[in-house]
Amino acid sequence: MLDTKILKPDYIFEVSWEICNKVGGIYTVLSTKAFTLVKEHRDNLIFIGPDVWKETRDNPDFTEDKFLFRSWREHAEKEGLHFKIGRWNIAGNPVVILADFTTYFSI
């Protein structure tokens, strides 16, 4: 007998340079896909992208939420990882982690 059980992942991660960063067409693809996936996976859909607005001004596509994954963020920062966690300001408002990548470049 064939097992027809449908498996559902605990979390889905999507990583792209264009998360909360309007550069090109990939931004449109990701934001459209996010709306569909959030309906089913809610906060278990997590987008990861660069914090490209870090040293300029506030990112209009991102709203930080200091309480979301708070203990995890605090632990990671003790390990030297710096990022912001919040919501992508698009339909569905998916969870976003924006990584500070500047420490990985030598000047």
Side-chain angles (χ1 to χ4, degrees):
M1 184 167 165
L2 183 62
D3 185 7
T4 59
K5 182 178 178 183
I6 296 174
L7 298 178
K8 183 176 174 184
D10 292 332
Y11 288 91
I12 297 175
F13 295 93
E14 178 89 38
V15 180
S16 175
W17 187 262
E18 295 190 35
I19 304 295
C20 297
N21 182 29
K22 289 182 185 177
V23 177
I26 299 300
Y27 179 93
T28 302
V29 171
L30 292 170
S31 60
T32 303
K33 179 168 58 171
F35 180 67
T36 302
L37 289 173
V38 164
K39 288 179 186 177
E40 174 145 355
H41 300 284
R42 303 179 195 254
D43 286 350
N44 291 7
L45 170 67
I46 301 172
F47 286 89
I48 302 172
D51 187 5
V52 296
W53 293 78
K54 180 179 178 293
E55 296 183 17
T56 54
R57 57 187 168 103
D58 289 334
N59 186 334
D61 287 330
F62 175 77
T63 301
E64 189 167 15
D65 182 341
K66 300 238 183 217
F67 298 103
L68 195 59
F69 303 129
R70 184 176 174 180
S71 62
W72 179 77
R73 177 186 16 236
E74 290 170 352
H75 178 76
E77 287 179 351
K78 287 178 186 174
E79 298 293 322
L81 300 171
H82 301 285
F83 47 84
K84 295 175 188 168
I85 300 175
R87 301 281 178 178
W88 192 354
N89 296 332
I90 58 172
N93 296 106
V95 174
V96 172
I97 299 172
L98 297 180
D100 176 3
F101 59 91
T102 57
T103 57
Y104 300 104
F105 290 98
S106 60
I107 297 176

